[in-house]
Amino acid sequence: MDKVIYLDNNATTKVDERVAAKMMPYLTERYGNPSSIHSFGGSVMPDIEDARRAVANLIGANFRNKDNCATEILFTSCGTESDNAAIMSAIATQEGRKKIVTSKVEHPAILSKCKELARLGYTVSYIGVDNRGRLDMEELKREIDNDTAIVSIMWANNEIGNIYPVEEIAELAHAKGALFHTDAVQAVGKVPIDMSKNSIDFLSLSGHKLHAPKGIGVLYIRRGVRFRPLIVGGHQELGRRAGTENTASIIALGEACKIAAAQVAEEVKLLSSMRDKLEAELLKRIPKIRINGDLDSRLPNTSSISFEYIEGESILMLLDIFRICASSGSACTTGSLEPSHVLRAMGLPYTAAHGTIRFSFSRYNTMEEVDTVLEKLPPIISRLREISPYWSEK
Amino acid sequence: MWNYNKDVMDHFLNPRNVGEVENADGVGEVGNMSCGDALKFTFKLDENGRIAEAKFKTFGCASAIASSSALTELVKGMTLEEAAKVTNQDIVKILGELPEEKMHCSVMGMEALQAAIADYRGESLADNEEHDGQIICKCFGVTDSTIKNVAKTNNLHKASEITNYCKAGGACGACIDKIQEILDDMWQAPENQELARDAGSFDKLSIVQKIMKIQEIIDREIKPLLEKDGGSLELVDLRGNLVLVRLQGRCASCPASNVTLKNTVEEKLKEFLSPELKVENC
């Protein structure tokens, strides 16, 4: 069978072999509970703290204060948990404020939570985007008011890769006394992040998007920001997130962050060179396609391309024959009947929205793989267009 | 990921009869780009009034292309009277099966065929009772008569099933309650009582036929649900109206197995076969 060409790294990534090697002993040998009194278990705790330091380093957070009793890095089970925890804490610690401001292009981890809170009586304001997916900053400024508990805007969008001006938005939120959260799940490791240089209160990140395993996430909580735990129980994570530590995955995330910090600059170059070649060549070889998103401000690894007059699932299934993995913003792949909420928010014409494919790169991709896609994809597109009743009319 | 079977994949990868029949006798176009799928079906009759040539062009997912391809194979050689009776289930039969969420692709095939026949006969679709009616789902432009038609052909009772079969209610969701109301009214109408269930006929079946019917419902409706959670069940015996089953896999050890038994297994058997049936685990 042909080798898999994995261009779906915004969905999840391969665990780096160095990361896997580092975590393994914590599954089979050093499996003790870090909270135990005996040294077999207790000796794992310093390794967890080492991992915490690595995460803090990657994003410029404070690891520990001098009393060793406060950290800005909270380990959670995933990006979704981090997102939920931030929102729930913000509304719990600011009881008088009943409004949440977010965007129409957030991940479901935020949107579904907001929908639920709307049912409980909170006002939710969803900021719109333009046809390039850029936030309407004027609307955002108008919507943040003295009743706003939290503003949550993603650092980078998972479908189109747009990077949003979160540092600026954090200031806007604070001017009205609101907290600011950002879902940075797609941004961490792909863009420089330095929390010591901004005023963002909460930031979510996820291990499996940066070559650590699934099932581990982080919520960054700025020192001094009040926090109400989402999960209560034992005293783990300084009482802010109960549940026995996911030791092996925490160690893995620490290692993944060390690797990311060491090679982020180099990686950005590699990722964008592959992405740019793919886009430039496809534009040359296939008529009637469009590149979506904010071309001036987007992730180096993400490419959202609309192939007009055909449907995304068919494209993906034909790519799958060549073991090329991508994903689509079209309806059919998920069983939903409408194109993705992001493409709809952008007002992408239906001719394009249904035929939108996302390619997302990682450090494991190569130029040879890009060449294979460039060879295989154009015939797939023409084949489907020949079947399409709309193509012949054009 | 969709688990398309071999036949669906074959029709998707090697679609039959792609294109447009020249000087077609009938042309049927359904769906549109905003809906996410569309089909243009054309046919030509031979001197005996049978469909000699049928071709399609489809914008849509793999199952839409496969359904269209299957449709063209299915209707070749049919008279228009025969073709007019083709339902989406006939298309599904050629493909073996389609995922529930993709059943609307087979319905699109049936609708394109009907539209092409109407075109040949010089009828506008609005003259046709089946296509008349009030728009219920504004997002996808689905009328109450289409909803009723699809529900009857495929024995659908829930609004969510209607969404799978003709998309109605699948976008903004504002019409879901209305769809359920239409279904409830329709199935409660006296003339549909018999269609609604094989209840009367089920009681008259021999015990072997009953067991076969129950097995069919278990395989088709119940097992796929349980398998999602890593469970399964087998039919052990039928004593009067008491169906004895054995829960397997995760279901066997699940503390909520009784709920599964009553809410899933028994409900499905009641829905499809007879309200008298009871289920017990043994």
Side-chain angles (χ1 to χ4, degrees), chain B residues 265-278:
Chain B
V265 183
E266 193 167 299
E267 277 308 304
K268 284 283 176 199
L269 291 177
K270 282 180 169 176
E271 181 186 339
F272 286 96
L273 300 175
S274 160
E276 306 300 323
L277 291 174
K278 294 264 180 290

Side-chain angles (χ1 to χ4, degrees), chain B residues 31-49:
Chain B
N32 59 56
M33 199 112 56
S34 69
C35 293
D37 47 22
L39 163 56
K40 184 174 186 181
F41 172 80
T42 47
F43 71 83
K44 205 169 178 52
L45 297 173
D46 64 15
E47 61 275 17
N48 303 319

Side-chain angles (χ1 to χ4, degrees), chain A residues 265-319:
Chain A
E266 191 186 320
E267 204 160 307
V268 164
K269 269 188 232 152
L270 170 75
L271 295 173
S272 52
S273 67
M274 291 187 290
R275 195 262 320 264
D276 293 346
K277 177 168 183 191
L278 179 77
E279 290 183 347
E281 287 296 320
L282 287 179
L283 280 168
K284 272 189 228 160
R285 296 176 196 203
I286 306 176
K288 292 279 175 195
I289 69 176
R290 59 167 82 199
I291 312 290
N292 301 309
D294 182 355
L295 304 187
D296 299 323
S297 174
R298 57 176 177 153
L299 293 174
N301 80 320
T302 306
S303 180
S304 166
I305 308 180
S306 298
F307 300 91
E308 295 194 68
Y309 310 110
I310 51 176
E311 202 280 326
E313 184 201 290
S314 300
I315 304 172
L316 290 183
M317 294 199 55
L318 291 173
L319 281 173

Side-chain angles (χ1 to χ4, degrees), chain B residues 217-218 220-226 233 264-265 268-269:
Chain B
I217 299 300
I218 287 176
R220 195 183 72 210
E221 302 290 334
I222 299 171
K223 271 194 183 167
L225 293 174
L226 302 187
L233 92 169
T264 307
V265 183
K268 284 283 176 199
L269 291 177

Side-chain angles (χ1 to χ4, degrees), chain A residues 308-315 317-318 321 331-339 350-352 354-355 383-393, chain B residues 2 4 9 12-15 18 20 29 31-36 38 40 56-63 65 101-102 104 140 163 167 170-172:
Chain A
E308 295 194 68
Y309 310 110
I310 51 176
E311 202 280 326
E313 184 201 290
S314 300
I315 304 172
M317 294 199 55
L318 291 173
I321 293 172
C332 284
T333 42
T334 54
S336 133
L337 293 168
E338 288 208 302
Y350 281 107
T351 53
H354 284 290
R383 171 177 177 174
L384 289 170
R385 280 177 173 171
E386 271 161 35
I387 303 180
S388 168
Y390 297 118
W391 181 245
S392 54
E393 292 163 18
Chain B
W2 299 112
Y4 290 130
M9 284 308 287
F12 168 55
L13 296 176
N14 310 297
V18 175
E20 289 180 40
E29 287 183 86
N32 59 56
M33 199 112 56
S34 69
C35 293
K40 184 174 186 181
F56 80 93
K57 282 204 154 189
T58 290
F59 163 79
C61 52
S63 52
I65 291 169
E101 296 87 345
K102 296 287 191 180
H104 60 85
F140 291 112
T163 305
K167 297 191 170 188
C172 74

